[in-house]
Amino acid sequence: MKRLLTLTLFATAATAGAQGNLTFVCGAQADWCQVVANAYKKETGGEAKFLRLSAGESLARLRAEKANPSFDVLFGGTGDVHEAGTKEKLLTFYKPKAWNELYPSLRKQVNDAYIPLYTGALGFAVNDTVLKKRNLPAPTDWPDLGDPKYKGLVAMPNPNTSGTAYTMITTLIQIYGEDQAFDLLKKIHNNVPRNGYTRPGSGAAFLAARGEVAVGVTFLHDAVAQNVRGFPVRAVAPKAGTGTEIGGVSLVTDGPNAAAGKQFIDFVLKPETQKLAATVESFQIQSNAKTPVAAASPKLDKIKLIDYDFGKWGDSATRARIISRWTKEVFPLPRR
């Protein structure tokens, strides 16, 4: 009887662990996803495997697998991907246990269309060492990035893969109007070296940190992360104003293990889990109001933020049109 009881308990524990297993798309920094996956296993016994993809790549993968998804959750990535994924029924809205603990302002901004996971503001990672060697001032606003004196010194992500870049383009449109924004993007393109268009948004901060360029367009928390790691960069918010991201976490429609997906979403919204981000130098403002804000995180109340229209710019057709226009009108231009 004792042996039978032992075998039964073992089988029950194994089944529980298997039921908690899931696979998620990591739209945030890989080390953040890893520390979350480790903590999930420690608390639940379930395996949480992930694949790191940029925002645009995440959406493309979900579209390609619509008939037979291999993922249960999309963790992180800019809001346009979560908005588009929900509207295309690639993602299914799930109301988490911590819903009422999330900042009401974040939920209101996304019109309760998806679950906010974190927020951050767009800006520049500026390497003053590179600028000093060239006797150049630091840029302080968006038009500065198109000034010929910064030729070869500006990095930005590619909107075909990066949600950061899409946020940048739509931010410029909301500040200057679409045609004027694209005129500025063409000027900026002339200052981007051949290796200066990066796949992830954090890549531009990486290039600036290592002195390959002087300025990288990125989310400010990624610039802060490079500074904390000891690189000579600082975060600069554009004077005219800047856009924000509200990164999300969403349940994949008809994923292989929806129950585990929901359990994982509830887990990552806990303050104890969200605090893990700062331990791996991810300095976004976390969505749960009970989560302490890391000391190094950018102070959003000190930055001029535009009233970013998440619903409009998260629309699939709008997103596709804007990215296509950049790809056709800006990217092929020869550098002068």
Side-chain angles (χ1 to χ4, degrees), residues 128-282:
D128 289 310
T129 301
V130 174
L131 291 170
K132 186 176 181 180
K133 287 180 180 179
R134 295 175 180 252
N135 197 29
L136 291 172
T140 61
D141 211 348
W142 295 111
D144 294 340
L145 301 185
D147 192 312
K149 66 189 175 192
Y150 295 113
K151 186 172 179 60
L153 296 177
V154 178
M156 65 170 279
N158 187 318
N160 287 283
T161 57
S162 168
T164 305
Y166 180 68
T167 305
M168 171 194 173
I169 295 171
T170 52
T171 292
L172 295 180
I173 292 172
Q174 289 171 88
I175 294 174
Y176 302 111
E178 186 167 327
D179 288 341
Q180 190 174 342
F182 270 86
D183 287 342
L184 176 55
L185 287 165
K186 291 171 185 177
K187 293 177 182 178
I188 294 173
H189 171 79
N190 202 46
N191 289 339
V192 177
R194 303 232 170 249
N195 68 336
Y197 285 115
T198 63
R199 286 179 62 194
S202 58
F206 180 91
L207 293 181
R210 282 146 185 80
E212 295 184 40
V213 296
V215 185
V217 179
T218 189
F219 282 107
L220 295 175
H221 48 255
D222 288 324
V224 170
Q226 294 295 342
N227 179 271
V228 169
R229 290 166 190 159
F231 291 100
V233 292
R234 59 189 174 92
V236 174
K239 286 184 177 179
T242 193
T244 53
E245 68 167 335
I246 299 179
V249 58
S250 295
L251 187 71
V252 175
T253 302
D254 297 327
N257 195 342
K262 293 175 181 178
Q263 178 178 252
F264 182 77
I265 289 172
D266 286 328
F267 174 75
V268 302
L269 293 173
K270 293 181 178 181
E272 297 77 15
T273 308
Q274 292 198 331
K275 285 193 297 185
L276 295 174
T279 68
V280 288
E281 296 163 350
S282 289

Side-chain angles (χ1 to χ4, degrees), residues 23-28 33 49-54 57-58 61-62 71-76 252:
T23 304
F24 65 98
V25 180
C26 172
C33 293
K49 298 180 180 179
F50 68 87
L51 176 65
R52 170 68 178 94
L53 295 173
S54 296
E57 296 170 323
S58 299
R61 183 67 175 261
L62 292 173
F71 299 98
D72 300 291
V73 172
L74 173 57
F75 176 89
V252 175

Side-chain angles (χ1 to χ4, degrees), residues 56-111:
E57 296 170 323
S58 299
L59 186 57
R61 183 67 175 261
L62 292 173
R63 285 169 173 163
E65 295 186 355
K66 183 175 182 178
N68 187 27
S70 60
F71 299 98
D72 300 291
V73 172
L74 173 57
F75 176 89
T78 49
D80 56 288
V81 169
H82 291 268
E83 288 264 4
T86 300
K87 290 176 181 177
E88 294 178 36
K89 299 184 179 180
L90 304 170
L91 303 172
T92 298
F93 180 78
Y94 162 66
K95 190 173 182 178
K97 294 177 181 177
W99 184 247
N100 291 327
E101 296 178 10
L102 307 184
Y103 284 109
S105 59
L106 297 184
R107 287 171 36 200
K108 183 179 179 181
Q109 282 178 278
V110 303
N111 198 28

